[in-house]
Coordinates of all heavy atoms in Angstrom, one line a residue:
M1 N 12.0 -25.7 33.9 CA 11.0 -24.6 34.3 C 10.2 -24.2 33.1 O 10.4 -24.6 31.9 CB 12.0 -23.4 34.8 CG 12.7 -23.9 36.0 SD 11.7 -24.2 37.5 CE 11.3 -22.6 38.0
L2 N 9.3 -23.3 33.3 CA 8.4 -22.7 32.3 C 9.0 -21.6 31.5 O 8.4 -21.2 30.6 CB 7.2 -22.3 32.9 CG 6.2 -23.4 33.5 CD1 5.2 -22.8 34.3 CD2 5.6 -24.2 32.4
D3 N 10.2 -21.2 31.9 CA 10.7 -19.9 31.3 C 10.8 -20.1 29.7 O 10.4 -19.1 29.1 CB 12.2 -19.8 31.8 CG 12.1 -19.0 33.1 OD1 11.0 -18.9 33.7 OD2 13.1 -18.7 33.6
S4 N 11.1 -21.3 29.2 CA 11.2 -21.3 27.8 C 9.9 -21.2 27.1 O 9.8 -20.6 26.0 CB 12.0 -22.7 27.4 OG 11.2 -23.7 27.8
D5 N 8.9 -21.8 27.7 CA 7.5 -21.7 27.2 C 7.1 -20.2 27.1 O 6.5 -19.7 26.1 CB 6.5 -22.5 28.0 CG 6.5 -23.9 27.6 OD1 7.2 -24.1 26.6 OD2 5.8 -24.6 28.3
V6 N 7.3 -19.5 28.2 CA 6.9 -18.1 28.2 C 7.7 -17.3 27.2 O 7.0 -16.6 26.4 CB 7.2 -17.5 29.6 CG1 7.0 -15.9 29.6 CG2 6.4 -18.2 30.7
Q7 N 8.9 -17.6 27.0 CA 9.7 -16.9 26.0 C 9.2 -17.2 24.6 O 9.1 -16.2 23.8 CB 11.1 -17.3 26.2 CG 12.0 -16.4 27.0 CD 13.4 -16.9 27.2 OE1 13.7 -18.0 26.7 NE2 14.1 -16.1 27.9
K8 N 8.8 -18.4 24.4 CA 8.3 -18.7 23.0 C 7.0 -17.9 22.7 O 6.8 -17.4 21.7 CB 8.0 -20.3 22.9 CG 9.0 -21.0 22.2 CD 8.7 -22.4 22.0 CE 9.7 -23.3 22.7 NZ 9.2 -24.7 23.0
K9 N 6.1 -18.0 23.7 CA 4.8 -17.2 23.6 C 5.1 -15.8 23.3 O 4.5 -15.2 22.5 CB 4.0 -17.6 24.8 CG 3.2 -18.8 24.6 CD 2.1 -19.0 25.7 CE 1.8 -20.5 25.8 NZ 1.7 -21.0 27.0
S10 N 5.8 -15.2 24.2 CA 6.1 -13.8 24.0 C 6.8 -13.4 22.6 O 6.5 -12.5 22.1 CB 6.9 -13.2 25.2 OG 8.2 -13.7 25.1
G11 N 7.6 -14.4 22.1 CA 8.3 -14.3 20.9 C 7.2 -14.2 19.8 O 7.2 -13.4 19.0
I12 N 6.2 -15.1 19.9 CA 5.2 -15.2 18.8 C 4.3 -14.0 18.9 O 4.0 -13.4 17.9 CB 4.3 -16.5 19.0 CG1 5.1 -17.7 18.7 CG2 3.1 -16.4 18.3 CD1 4.5 -19.0 19.1
Y13 N 4.0 -13.5 20.1 CA 3.1 -12.4 20.3 C 3.7 -11.1 19.7 O 3.2 -10.4 19.0 CB 2.8 -12.2 21.8 CG 1.9 -11.1 22.0 CD1 0.5 -11.1 21.5 CD2 2.3 -9.9 22.7 CE1 -0.3 -10.2 21.9 CE2 1.5 -8.9 22.9 CZ 0.1 -9.0 22.5 OH -0.8 -8.0 22.7
A14 N 5.1 -11.0 19.9 CA 5.8 -9.8 19.4 C 5.9 -9.8 17.9 O 5.7 -8.9 17.3 CB 7.2 -9.8 20.0
Y15 N 6.0 -11.0 17.4 CA 6.1 -11.1 15.9 C 4.7 -10.8 15.3 O 4.7 -10.0 14.3 CB 6.4 -12.6 15.5 CG 6.3 -12.8 14.1 CD1 7.3 -12.3 13.3 CD2 5.1 -13.4 13.5 CE1 7.2 -12.4 11.8 CE2 5.0 -13.5 12.1 CZ 6.1 -13.1 11.3 OH 6.0 -13.2 10.0
V16 N 3.5 -11.2 15.9 CA 2.3 -10.9 15.4 C 2.0 -9.4 15.5 O 1.5 -8.8 14.5 CB 1.2 -11.6 16.1 CG1 -0.2 -11.2 15.8 CG2 1.3 -13.1 15.8
L17 N 2.4 -8.8 16.6 CA 2.2 -7.5 16.8 C 3.1 -6.6 15.8 O 2.5 -5.7 15.2 CB 2.7 -7.1 18.2 CG 2.2 -5.7 18.8 CD1 0.8 -5.7 18.9 CD2 2.9 -5.4 20.1
D18 N 4.3 -7.0 15.6 CA 5.1 -6.3 14.7 C 4.6 -6.3 13.3 O 4.6 -5.4 12.6 CB 6.5 -7.0 14.7 CG 7.3 -6.6 15.9 OD1 6.9 -5.7 16.6 OD2 8.3 -7.3 16.1
D19 N 4.0 -7.5 13.0 CA 3.5 -7.7 11.6 C 2.4 -6.7 11.4 O 2.2 -6.2 10.4 CB 3.1 -9.2 11.4 CG 3.0 -9.6 10.0 OD1 3.9 -9.3 9.3 OD2 2.0 -10.2 9.6
D20 N 1.6 -6.7 12.4 CA 0.3 -5.9 12.3 C 0.7 -4.4 12.2 O 0.2 -3.7 11.4 CB -0.5 -6.1 13.6 CG -2.0 -6.1 13.3 OD1 -2.3 -6.6 12.1 OD2 -2.7 -5.7 14.1
E21 N 1.6 -4.0 13.0 CA 2.0 -2.6 13.0 C 2.7 -2.2 11.7 O 2.5 -1.2 11.2 CB 3.0 -2.4 14.1 CG 2.3 -2.3 15.5 CD 3.1 -1.7 16.6 OE1 4.3 -1.4 16.3 OE2 2.5 -1.5 17.6
R22 N 3.4 -3.1 11.2 CA 4.0 -2.9 9.9 C 2.9 -2.6 8.8 O 3.0 -1.7 8.1 CB 4.8 -4.2 9.4 CG 5.7 -4.0 8.3 CD 6.7 -5.1 8.3 NE 6.1 -6.4 8.3 CZ 5.7 -7.1 7.1 NH1 5.9 -6.5 5.9 NH2 5.1 -8.2 7.1
H23 N 1.9 -3.4 8.9 CA 0.8 -3.2 7.9 C 0.1 -1.8 8.2 O -0.3 -1.3 7.3 CB -0.2 -4.3 7.9 CG 0.3 -5.5 7.1 ND1 0.6 -6.7 7.7 CD2 0.5 -5.6 5.8 CE1 1.0 -7.5 6.7 NE2 1.0 -6.9 5.6
L24 N -0.1 -1.6 9.5 CA -0.9 -0.3 9.8 C 0.0 0.8 9.5 O -0.6 2.0 9.2 CB -1.2 -0.4 11.3 CG -2.3 -1.4 11.8 CD1 -2.3 -1.4 13.3 CD2 -3.7 -0.9 11.1
N25 N 1.3 0.8 9.6 CA 2.0 2.0 9.6 C 2.7 2.3 8.3 O 2.9 3.5 8.0 CB 3.2 1.9 10.6 CG 2.6 2.1 12.0 OD1 1.6 2.7 12.2 ND2 3.3 1.5 13.0
I26 N 2.9 1.3 7.5 CA 3.6 1.6 6.2 C 2.7 2.4 5.3 O 1.5 2.0 5.0 CB 4.1 0.4 5.6 CG1 5.3 -0.2 6.3 CG2 4.5 0.5 4.1 CD1 6.0 -1.5 5.8
R27 N 3.1 3.4 4.7 CA 2.2 4.3 4.0 C 2.4 4.1 2.4 O 1.7 4.3 1.5 CB 2.4 5.7 4.2 CG 1.4 6.7 3.6 CD 1.5 8.0 4.1 NE 0.4 8.8 3.5 CZ 0.0 10.0 3.8 NH1 0.5 10.5 4.9 NH2 -0.9 10.6 3.2
A28 N 3.8 3.8 2.0 CA 4.1 3.8 0.7 C 3.9 2.4 0.1 O 4.3 1.3 0.7 CB 5.5 4.2 0.4
F29 N 3.3 2.3 -1.0 CA 3.1 1.0 -1.6 C 4.5 0.5 -2.3 O 5.2 1.4 -2.7 CB 2.1 1.1 -2.8 CG 0.7 1.3 -2.4 CD1 0.1 2.7 -2.4 CD2 -0.2 0.3 -1.9 CE1 -1.2 2.9 -2.0 CE2 -1.5 0.6 -1.4 CZ -1.9 1.9 -1.5
D30 N 4.7 -0.7 -2.1 CA 6.0 -1.2 -2.7 C 5.9 -1.5 -4.1 O 4.8 -1.5 -4.8 CB 6.6 -2.4 -1.9 CG 5.7 -3.6 -2.0 OD1 5.0 -3.9 -3.0 OD2 5.6 -4.4 -1.0
D31 N 6.9 -1.7 -4.8 CA 6.9 -1.9 -6.3 C 6.1 -3.0 -6.7 O 5.5 -3.0 -7.8 CB 8.3 -2.0 -6.8 CG 9.1 -0.7 -6.6 OD1 8.4 0.3 -6.5 OD2 10.3 -0.7 -6.8
N32 N 6.1 -4.2 -6.0 CA 5.3 -5.2 -6.4 C 3.8 -5.0 -6.3 O 3.2 -5.4 -7.4 CB 5.5 -6.5 -5.4 CG 6.8 -7.1 -5.5 OD1 7.4 -7.0 -6.7 ND2 7.4 -7.8 -4.6
M33 N 3.2 -4.2 -5.4 CA 1.9 -3.9 -5.3 C 1.6 -3.0 -6.4 O 0.6 -3.2 -7.1 CB 1.7 -3.2 -4.0 CG 1.4 -4.2 -2.8 SD 0.7 -3.4 -1.4 CE 2.2 -3.2 -0.4
K34 N 2.4 -2.0 -6.8 CA 2.2 -1.1 -7.8 C 2.1 -1.8 -9.1 O 1.2 -1.5 -9.9 CB 3.3 -0.1 -7.9 CG 3.4 1.0 -6.9 CD 4.4 2.0 -7.1 CE 4.8 2.7 -5.8 NZ 6.0 3.6 -6.1
R35 N 3.0 -2.7 -9.4 CA 3.1 -3.4 -10.6 C 1.7 -4.3 -10.8 O 1.2 -4.3 -11.8 CB 4.4 -4.3 -10.6 CG 4.4 -5.4 -11.8 CD 4.5 -4.8 -13.1 NE 5.8 -3.9 -13.3 CZ 6.1 -3.3 -14.4 NH1 5.4 -3.3 -15.4 NH2 7.2 -2.6 -14.4
E36 N 1.4 -4.9 -9.7 CA 0.1 -5.7 -9.7 C -1.1 -4.9 -10.0 O -1.9 -5.2 -10.9 CB 0.0 -6.3 -8.2 CG -1.3 -7.3 -8.1 CD -1.4 -7.8 -6.8 OE1 -0.5 -7.8 -6.0 OE2 -2.6 -8.0 -6.4
V37 N -1.3 -3.7 -9.4 CA -2.4 -2.8 -9.6 C -2.3 -2.3 -11.1 O -3.3 -2.2 -11.8 CB -2.5 -1.7 -8.6 CG1 -3.6 -0.7 -8.9 CG2 -2.8 -2.4 -7.3
Y38 N -1.0 -1.9 -11.4 CA -0.9 -1.3 -12.8 C -1.3 -2.3 -13.9 O -2.0 -1.9 -14.8 CB 0.6 -1.0 -13.0 CG 1.0 -0.5 -14.3 CD1 0.8 0.8 -14.7 CD2 1.5 -1.4 -15.3 CE1 1.0 1.4 -15.9 CE2 1.9 -0.9 -16.6 CZ 1.7 0.5 -16.9 OH 2.0 1.0 -18.1
E39 N -1.0 -3.5 -13.7 CA -1.3 -4.6 -14.6 C -2.9 -4.8 -14.6 O -3.5 -5.0 -15.7 CB -0.6 -5.9 -14.4 CG 0.9 -5.7 -14.9 CD 1.8 -6.9 -14.7 OE1 1.3 -7.8 -14.1 OE2 3.0 -6.7 -14.9
K40 N -3.4 -4.7 -13.4 CA -4.9 -4.9 -13.3 C -5.6 -3.8 -14.1 O -6.7 -4.0 -14.6 CB -5.3 -5.0 -11.8 CG -6.4 -5.9 -11.6 CD -6.7 -6.2 -10.1 CE -6.0 -5.5 -9.0 NZ -6.3 -5.8 -7.7
Q41 N -5.0 -2.6 -14.0 CA -5.7 -1.5 -14.7 C -5.3 -1.4 -16.2 O -5.6 -0.4 -16.8 CB -5.4 -0.2 -14.0 CG -5.9 -0.1 -12.6 CD -5.5 1.2 -11.9 OE1 -5.5 1.4 -10.6 NE2 -5.1 2.3 -12.6
N42 N -4.5 -2.3 -16.6 CA -3.9 -2.3 -18.0 C -3.2 -0.9 -18.2 O -3.2 -0.4 -19.4 CB -5.0 -2.4 -19.0 CG -5.6 -4.0 -18.8 OD1 -4.8 -4.9 -18.7 ND2 -6.9 -4.1 -18.9
G43 N -2.6 -0.3 -17.3 CA -1.9 0.9 -17.5 C -2.7 2.1 -17.6 O -2.3 3.2 -18.1
I44 N -4.0 2.0 -17.3 CA -5.0 3.1 -17.5 C -5.2 3.9 -16.1 O -5.4 3.3 -15.1 CB -6.4 2.7 -17.9 CG1 -6.3 1.8 -19.3 CG2 -7.3 3.8 -18.1 CD1 -5.9 2.5 -20.5
C45 N -4.9 5.2 -16.3 CA -5.1 6.0 -15.1 C -6.7 6.0 -14.7 O -7.5 6.1 -15.5 CB -4.8 7.5 -15.3 SG -5.2 8.6 -14.2
K46 N -6.9 5.8 -13.4 CA -8.2 5.6 -12.9 C -9.0 6.9 -13.0 O -10.3 7.0 -13.0 CB -8.2 5.2 -11.5 CG -8.1 3.7 -11.2 CD -9.4 2.9 -11.5 CE -9.1 1.4 -11.3 NZ -10.3 0.6 -11.5
M47 N -8.4 8.1 -13.2 CA -9.1 9.4 -13.1 C -9.3 9.9 -14.5 O -10.4 10.2 -14.9 CB -8.4 10.3 -12.2 CG -8.6 10.1 -10.8 SD -8.0 11.4 -9.7 CE -9.3 12.6 -9.7
C48 N -8.3 9.9 -15.2 CA -8.4 10.5 -16.7 C -8.6 9.5 -17.7 O -8.9 9.9 -18.9 CB -7.2 11.5 -17.0 SG -5.8 10.7 -17.1
G49 N -8.4 8.2 -17.5 CA -8.6 7.1 -18.4 C -7.6 7.0 -19.5 O -7.8 6.4 -20.4
K50 N -6.5 7.7 -19.4 CA -5.4 7.6 -20.4 C -4.4 6.6 -20.0 O -4.3 6.2 -18.8 CB -4.7 9.1 -20.5 CG -5.6 10.1 -21.2 CD -4.8 11.4 -21.3 CE -5.7 12.7 -21.4 NZ -5.0 13.8 -20.8
H51 N -3.7 6.2 -20.9 CA -2.6 5.1 -20.7 C -1.3 5.8 -20.4 O -0.9 6.8 -21.1 CB -2.5 4.2 -21.9 CG -1.5 3.1 -21.7 ND1 -0.2 3.2 -22.0 CD2 -1.6 1.9 -21.2 CE1 0.5 2.1 -21.7 NE2 -0.4 1.3 -21.1
F52 N -0.6 5.2 -19.4 CA 0.7 5.7 -19.0 C 1.6 4.5 -18.7 O 1.2 3.4 -18.4 CB 0.6 6.5 -17.7 CG -0.2 7.8 -17.9 CD1 -1.6 7.8 -17.7 CD2 0.5 9.0 -18.3 CE1 -2.3 9.0 -17.9 CE2 -0.2 10.2 -18.5 CZ -1.6 10.2 -18.2
E53 N 2.9 4.8 -18.8 CA 3.9 3.9 -18.4 C 3.9 3.9 -16.8 O 3.6 4.9 -16.2 CB 5.3 4.2 -18.9 CG 5.5 4.2 -20.4 CD 5.1 2.8 -21.0 OE1 5.4 1.9 -20.5 OE2 4.4 2.9 -22.1
I54 N 4.3 2.8 -16.2 CA 4.2 2.6 -14.7 C 5.2 3.8 -14.1 O 4.8 4.2 -13.1 CB 4.6 1.2 -14.3 CG1 4.2 1.1 -12.9 CG2 6.2 1.0 -14.5 CD1 4.3 -0.2 -12.3
E55 N 6.2 4.2 -14.8 CA 7.1 5.2 -14.2 C 6.4 6.5 -14.3 O 6.9 7.4 -13.4 CB 8.4 5.3 -15.2 CG 9.3 4.1 -15.1 CD 8.8 2.9 -16.0 OE1 7.9 3.2 -16.9 OE2 9.3 1.8 -15.9
Q56 N 5.5 6.7 -15.0 CA 4.8 8.0 -15.0 C 3.5 8.1 -14.1 O 2.7 9.0 -14.1 CB 4.2 8.3 -16.5 CG 5.2 8.3 -17.5 CD 4.7 8.4 -18.9 OE1 4.1 7.5 -19.4 NE2 4.8 9.5 -19.5
M57 N 3.3 7.0 -13.4 CA 2.1 6.9 -12.5 C 2.6 6.8 -11.0 O 3.7 6.5 -10.7 CB 1.3 5.6 -12.8 CG 0.9 5.8 -14.2 SD -0.3 4.3 -14.7 CE -1.9 5.0 -14.2
E58 N 1.6 7.1 -10.1 CA 1.8 7.0 -8.7 C 0.7 6.2 -8.0 O -0.4 6.2 -8.4 CB 2.0 8.4 -8.1 CG 3.1 9.1 -8.5 CD 3.2 10.6 -8.2 OE1 2.1 11.2 -7.8 OE2 4.2 11.2 -8.3
A59 N 1.1 5.5 -7.0 CA 0.1 4.7 -6.3 C -0.7 5.5 -5.4 O -0.2 6.4 -4.7 CB 0.8 3.6 -5.6
D60 N -2.0 5.3 -5.3 CA -2.8 6.2 -4.5 C -3.7 5.3 -3.7 O -4.2 4.2 -4.1 CB -3.8 7.1 -5.4 CG -4.7 7.9 -4.6 OD1 -4.2 8.7 -3.7 OD2 -6.0 7.9 -4.8
H61 N -3.9 5.7 -2.4 CA -4.8 5.0 -1.5 C -6.3 5.3 -1.9 O -6.7 6.5 -1.8 CB -4.6 5.4 0.0 CG -3.4 4.9 0.6 ND1 -2.1 5.4 0.2 CD2 -3.1 3.8 1.4 CE1 -1.1 4.8 0.9 NE2 -1.8 3.8 1.7
I62 N -7.1 4.3 -2.1 CA -8.5 4.5 -2.4 C -9.2 5.0 -1.2 O -9.9 6.0 -1.2 CB -9.1 3.2 -2.9 CG1 -8.5 2.7 -4.4 CG2 -10.7 3.4 -3.1 CD1 -8.8 1.3 -4.7
T63 N -9.1 4.4 0.0 CA -9.5 4.8 1.2 C -8.3 5.6 1.8 O -7.1 4.8 1.9 CB -9.9 3.8 2.2 OG1 -11.1 3.1 1.7 CG2 -10.3 4.3 3.5
P64 N -8.2 6.9 2.0 CA -7.0 7.5 2.4 C -6.4 6.9 3.6 O -7.0 6.4 4.5 CB -7.6 9.0 2.7 CG -8.9 9.1 1.9 CD -9.5 7.8 1.9
W65 N -5.1 6.9 3.5 CA -4.2 6.4 4.6 C -4.6 7.0 6.0 O -4.8 6.2 6.9 CB -2.7 6.6 4.2 CG -1.8 5.9 5.1 CD1 -1.5 4.6 5.2 CD2 -1.1 6.5 6.2 NE1 -0.5 4.3 6.1 CE2 -0.2 5.5 6.7 CE3 -1.0 7.8 6.7 CZ2 0.5 5.7 7.8 CZ3 -0.1 8.0 7.8 CH2 0.7 7.1 8.3
H66 N -4.8 8.3 6.0 CA -5.0 8.9 7.3 C -6.5 8.6 7.8 O -6.9 9.0 8.9 CB -4.8 10.4 7.2 CG -5.5 11.1 6.1 ND1 -6.8 11.6 6.4 CD2 -5.3 11.4 4.9 CE1 -7.3 12.2 5.2 NE2 -6.3 12.0 4.3
E67 N -7.3 8.0 6.9 CA -8.6 7.6 7.4 C -8.8 6.2 7.7 O -9.7 5.5 7.7 CB -9.7 8.0 6.3 CG -10.0 9.4 6.2 CD -10.8 9.8 5.1 OE1 -11.7 8.9 4.7 OE2 -10.8 11.1 4.7
G68 N -7.5 5.5 7.8 CA -7.4 4.2 8.2 C -7.3 3.2 6.9 O -7.4 2.0 7.1
G69 N -7.3 3.7 5.8 CA -7.0 2.9 4.5 C -5.7 2.2 4.6 O -4.7 2.8 5.0
R70 N -5.7 0.9 4.4 CA -4.5 0.1 4.6 C -3.6 0.2 3.3 O -4.2 0.4 2.2 CB -4.8 -1.3 4.9 CG -5.5 -1.3 6.4 CD -5.8 -2.7 6.8 NE -4.5 -3.4 6.9 CZ -4.5 -4.6 7.6 NH1 -5.6 -5.1 8.1 NH2 -3.3 -5.2 7.7
T71 N -2.4 -0.1 3.5 CA -1.5 -0.1 2.3 C -1.4 -1.5 1.8 O -0.5 -2.2 2.0 CB -0.1 0.4 2.8 OG1 -0.2 1.8 3.3 CG2 0.9 0.5 1.5
V72 N -2.4 -1.9 1.1 CA -2.5 -3.2 0.4 C -3.0 -3.0 -0.9 O -3.6 -2.0 -1.4 CB -3.6 -4.2 1.2 CG1 -3.0 -4.5 2.6 CG2 -4.9 -3.5 1.3
A73 N -2.8 -4.0 -1.8 CA -3.1 -3.8 -3.2 C -4.6 -3.7 -3.4 O -5.0 -2.9 -4.3 CB -2.8 -5.2 -4.0
D74 N -5.4 -4.2 -2.5 CA -6.9 -3.9 -2.7 C -7.3 -2.4 -2.4 O -8.4 -2.1 -2.8 CB -7.7 -4.8 -1.6 CG -7.8 -6.2 -2.2 OD1 -7.5 -6.5 -3.3 OD2 -8.2 -7.1 -1.3
N75 N -6.5 -1.7 -1.8 CA -6.8 -0.4 -1.4 C -5.9 0.5 -2.3 O -5.7 1.6 -2.0 CB -6.6 -0.1 0.0 CG -7.1 1.4 0.4 OD1 -8.2 1.7 -0.1 ND2 -6.4 2.0 1.2
C76 N -5.4 0.1 -3.4 CA -4.5 0.9 -4.2 C -5.1 1.1 -5.6 O -5.7 0.2 -6.1 CB -3.2 0.1 -4.3 SG -2.0 0.8 -5.5
Q77 N -4.9 2.3 -6.2 CA -5.1 2.6 -7.4 C -4.0 3.4 -8.1 O -3.4 4.2 -7.4 CB -6.5 3.4 -7.7 CG -6.5 4.7 -6.9 CD -7.9 5.4 -7.1 OE1 -8.8 4.9 -7.7 NE2 -7.9 6.5 -6.4
M78 N -3.8 3.1 -9.3 CA -2.6 3.9 -9.9 C -3.2 5.0 -10.7 O -4.2 4.9 -11.5 CB -1.9 2.9 -10.9 CG -1.2 1.8 -10.2 SD 0.1 2.4 -9.1 CE 1.5 2.7 -10.3
L79 N -2.7 6.2 -10.4 CA -3.1 7.4 -11.1 C -1.8 8.0 -11.8 O -0.7 7.9 -11.3 CB -3.6 8.4 -10.1 CG -4.8 8.0 -9.2 CD1 -5.1 9.1 -8.1 CD2 -6.1 7.8 -10.0
C80 N -2.1 8.7 -12.8 CA -1.0 9.5 -13.4 C -0.6 10.6 -12.4 O -1.3 11.0 -11.6 CB -1.3 10.0 -14.8 SG -2.5 11.4 -14.9
K81 N 0.7 11.1 -12.6 CA 1.1 12.1 -11.6 C 0.4 13.3 -11.6 O 0.0 13.8 -10.6 CB 2.6 12.4 -11.9 CG 3.6 11.3 -11.6 CD 5.0 11.6 -11.9 CE 5.9 10.4 -11.6 NZ 7.2 10.6 -11.9
E82 N -0.2 13.7 -12.7 CA -1.0 15.0 -12.8 C -2.3 14.8 -12.0 O -2.7 15.5 -11.2 CB -1.3 15.2 -14.2 CG -1.6 16.8 -14.4 CD -1.8 17.0 -16.0 OE1 -0.9 16.6 -16.7 OE2 -2.8 17.7 -16.2
C83 N -3.0 13.6 -12.3 CA -4.2 13.4 -11.5 C -4.0 13.3 -10.0 O -4.8 13.7 -9.2 CB -5.0 12.1 -12.0 SG -5.6 12.3 -13.7
N84 N -3.0 12.6 -9.7 CA -2.6 12.3 -8.2 C -2.4 13.7 -7.6 O -2.8 13.9 -6.5 CB -1.5 11.4 -8.1 CG -1.4 10.9 -6.7 OD1 -2.3 10.7 -6.0 ND2 -0.1 10.7 -6.3
R85 N -1.7 14.6 -8.3 CA -1.5 15.9 -7.8 C -2.7 16.7 -7.6 O -3.0 17.3 -6.7 CB -0.5 16.7 -8.7 CG 0.4 17.6 -7.8 CD 1.5 18.1 -8.8 NE 2.3 17.1 -9.5 CZ 2.7 17.2 -10.7 NH1 2.3 18.1 -11.5 NH2 3.5 16.2 -11.3
R86 N -3.6 16.6 -8.5 CA -4.9 17.3 -8.6 C -5.7 16.8 -7.5 O -6.4 17.5 -6.7 CB -5.6 17.1 -9.9 CG -6.5 18.2 -10.3 CD -7.2 17.9 -11.7 NE -6.2 18.0 -12.7 CZ -6.2 17.3 -13.8 NH1 -7.2 16.5 -14.0 NH2 -5.2 17.3 -14.8
K87 N -5.7 15.5 -7.3 CA -6.5 14.8 -6.3 C -6.1 15.2 -4.8 O -7.0 15.5 -3.9 CB -6.5 13.2 -6.3 CG -7.6 12.6 -5.5 CD -7.2 11.0 -5.3 CE -8.2 10.5 -4.3 NZ -7.7 9.3 -3.8
S88 N -4.9 15.3 -4.7 CA -4.5 15.6 -3.3 C -4.5 17.1 -3.0 O -4.2 17.6 -1.9 CB -3.0 15.2 -3.1 OG -2.1 15.8 -4.0
G89 N -4.9 17.8 -4.1 CA -5.2 19.3 -3.9 C -4.1 20.3 -3.6 O -4.4 21.2 -2.9
K90 N -2.9 19.9 -4.1 CA -1.8 20.8 -3.8 C -1.7 21.7 -4.9 O -1.9 21.5 -6.1 CB -0.6 20.0 -3.5 CG -0.6 19.5 -2.1 CD 0.6 18.5 -1.9 CE 0.3 17.6 -0.6 NZ 1.1 16.4 -0.6
Ligands
ZN1 ZN1 -4.7 10.7 -15.0

């Protein structure tokens, strides 16, 4: 019967959908992305231009997450905690 084919297809579809949602919904950059961006910036904060250790920095979405910015390295910049706090306006 065709049952196994249908199951296979729905299995693939669910996987793609899950993968997509994972990218759409995850807001926090993981450590690998942070490290990658940190090294690309040579440890320099994008806002104040000073050098920091990675532990003193936070990952920031260039295009804000709530405006559809994705949680990918291309949309990530590393800011020092102070600049990040200032940027978020709290
Ligand atoms: Zn800074």
